[in-house]
Amino acid sequence: MPVVTVAFITTLIFWFFLHLSYTKRYHSFVKSFLDSNNNITILYNEDKITFINSVGLEFFGFKSVKDFNARHVSLSNLFLEEEGYISKYTYGKKWFEEIKMKNKRDTKVKLFSEQDQMDFYFQVEASKLKFTKQYLLSFNNITVLEQEKTNIKKLAEYDALTNIYNRVKLNEVIDGLIYRANRYDLKFSIILLDIDHFKAINDTHGHNVGDKVLIELARLINMSLRESDTFARWGGEEFMIVSESSSRQQASKLASRLRKEVSEHPFHMVGKVTCSFGVTEFKVGDKPSLLFERVDKALYEAKDNGRNQVVTK
Ligand code: GH3
Ligand code: MG
Ligand code: MG
């Protein structure tokens, strides 16, 4: 064999191994780079996961990518269902299509951590890697942010003492029901209740005991209502129930049942407590103020007639 050919083949072999060694080093560099990332990072290629960094493996409780692929058909099997978060199919689209549509909508997912045995929230970003079909999925942990958002929402909608809805939320529910009632001819009724001689309870037992009575009453009534009823603290010692799809007769029956339950319940430290109830049904065209005025009048009459009773308008 001529010397030139031998030299050429040797160079070729040399270059081949050099290239192989570089590719290997490059891959191991990329892997250690992704492993050093504190976010869950995944390489995703046409419905298949080719790499999960060590943070991700620990989070999901898998030993390796192979272990993951053996147990999961798709990454979306791990997405927990919750409104506002991406699951297998979101807005009628496959989850990955949704994630790829950057900046259009929030691409948030809820995942269960095997490592911590609790749910976490993430913002997912997908970036296509140049010259490949691979996508780099990066999961940014937004759990604290999401929890704060939930807390703020709760503060805005709930009464701090009784832990039931407040007036702001109740007004929102009523606005929604009025819209539906006017449009689709659906009925609903409201009940306003007020503790009888509550001032005397405060004066006799102190404000703290008065507070406890409010909490106990809210719990007692809450247990007696349907899932579809909305129950809120209207203010002070007044509460309101919005009863969906109920006529004034049905709401009146509900109020009578509640009146009896309250009057028969032995309240801690205080004993017997009674409430007066006003009831009214929404009439097409009613503004919220008119509805409230009517129920207020009914309650006033119940008080005027001697308390511990229901008046329906
Ligand atoms: P009536 O039968 O006519 O309703 O008499 P009442 O004493 O219940 O009504 P009134 O409006 O005179 O008094 C209501 C009292 O409720 C006065 C107020 O101090 C008390 N109250 C309002 N909010 C709270 C609260 O959050 N905690 C406590 N402990 N008392 C409250
Ligand atoms: Mg009052
Ligand atoms: Mg009162």
Side-chain angles (χ1 to χ4, degrees):
M1 204 185 286
V3 177
V4 181
T5 314
V6 172
F8 178 72
I9 291 172
T10 312
T11 313
L12 218 62
I13 291 170
F14 173 75
W15 277 112
F16 174 75
F17 280 106
L18 194 68
H19 176 75
L20 208 67
S21 140
Y22 269 111
T23 313
K24 239 176 144 176
R25 273 167 69 183
Y26 173 72
H27 279 148
S28 104
F29 169 75
V30 170
K31 189 177 168 326
S32 60
F33 175 73
L34 295 179
D35 265 339
S36 68
N37 196 340
N38 286 329
N39 293 340
I40 298 171
T41 312
I42 289 175
L43 285 178
Y44 188 73
N45 188 359
E46 290 179 352
D47 274 357
K48 212 151 178 66
I49 286 175
T50 55
F51 176 81
I52 306 177
N53 70 347
S54 47
V55 174
L57 288 173
E58 272 173 35
F59 181 93
F60 294 120
F62 294 110
K63 287 189 203 77
S64 62
V65 179
K66 228 172 149 184
D67 184 21
F68 176 91
N69 283 330
R71 283 197 270 166
H72 282 270
V73 186
S74 160
L75 181 61
S76 62
N77 286 6
L78 296 166
F79 299 167
L80 303 174
E81 297 260 350
E82 190 170 316
E83 209 190 322
Y85 297 89
I86 287 187
S87 56
K88 245 181 188 170
Y89 292 95
T90 310
Y91 311 113
K93 271 206 208 71
K94 265 185 105 171
W95 69 274
F96 194 57
E97 297 305 311
E98 191 59 35
I99 285 176
K100 276 198 291 187
M101 270 180 28
K102 275 191 184 167
N103 305 327
K104 286 266 171 70
R105 293 193 191 96
D106 264 354
T107 48
K108 296 187 293 189
V109 294
K110 183 179 172 186
L111 299 172
F112 179 74
S113 163
E114 287 292 337
Q115 194 180 12
D116 298 304
Q117 291 294 305
M118 61 179 276
D119 296 338
F120 283 86
Y121 297 94
F122 296 90
Q123 177 82 39
V124 191
E125 275 168 37
S127 19
K128 190 156 191 309
L129 299 182
K130 271 186 182 169
F131 313 120
T132 73
K133 283 184 178 167
Q134 302 218 77
Y135 280 87
L136 185 87
L137 297 179
S138 184
F139 293 68
N140 302 303
N141 191 343
I142 51 164
T143 311
V144 174
L145 219 72
E146 292 299 284
Q147 280 166 346
E148 271 174 16
K149 243 167 72 182
T150 312
N151 285 345
I152 289 170
K153 198 161 178 266
K154 197 161 188 273
L155 278 177
E157 291 182 344
Y158 285 81
D159 172 55
L161 180 73
T162 56
N163 213 19
I164 60 172
Y165 283 141
N166 61 22
R167 198 170 178 146
V168 174
K169 176 67 182 180
L170 189 103
N171 277 322
E172 206 181 291
V173 170
I174 288 197
D175 284 347
L177 283 176
I178 288 183
Y179 177 81
R180 275 178 43 195
N182 283 329
R183 219 180 148 110
Y184 307 112
D185 199 26
L186 294 169
K187 59 175 113 189
F188 76 92
S189 293
I190 62 171
I191 301 169
L192 182 63
L193 64 117
D194 181 298
I195 304 177
D196 296 330
H197 302 303
F198 189 58
K199 199 173 170 301
I201 294 176
N202 271 335
D203 291 347
T204 314
H205 304 277
H207 204 267
N208 275 345
V209 173
D211 278 359
K212 297 254 162 58
V213 169
L214 292 170
I215 297 167
E216 204 172 333
L217 177 76
R219 177 126 34 97
L220 181 71
I221 291 180
N222 217 358
M223 281 192 320
S224 249
L225 296 175
R226 300 174 304 179
E227 192 77 19
S228 58
D229 295 328
T230 303
F231 180 40
R233 187 168 178 199
W234 188 242
E237 23 80 83
E238 293 180 17
F239 296 86
M240 194 177 278
I241 298 156
V242 182
S243 193
E244 270 185 51
S245 323
S246 288
S247 64
R248 60 197 285 279
Q249 288 84 356
Q250 286 167 319
S252 183
K253 237 173 114 179
L254 169 62
S256 297
R257 179 165 64 79
L258 295 173
R259 186 208 60 76
K260 189 164 175 284
E261 269 177 39
V262 173
S263 68
E264 287 172 356
H265 175 82
F267 281 79
H268 184 63
M269 309 266 292
V270 175
K272 190 176 165 84
V273 171
T274 63
C275 291
S276 300
F277 296 73
V279 181
T280 196
E281 184 181 331
F282 170 80
K283 290 183 192 146
V284 175
D286 268 354
K287 293 261 179 299
S289 54
L290 201 63
L291 188 66
F292 296 146
E293 211 174 280
R294 221 168 37 243
V295 82
D296 219 28
K297 265 195 191 142
L299 173 62
Y300 184 83
E301 257 184 55
K303 290 278 182 193
D304 216 32
N305 292 345
R307 296 175 172 82
N308 189 22
Q309 55 188 277
V310 177
V311 169
T312 307
K313 283 260 170 218

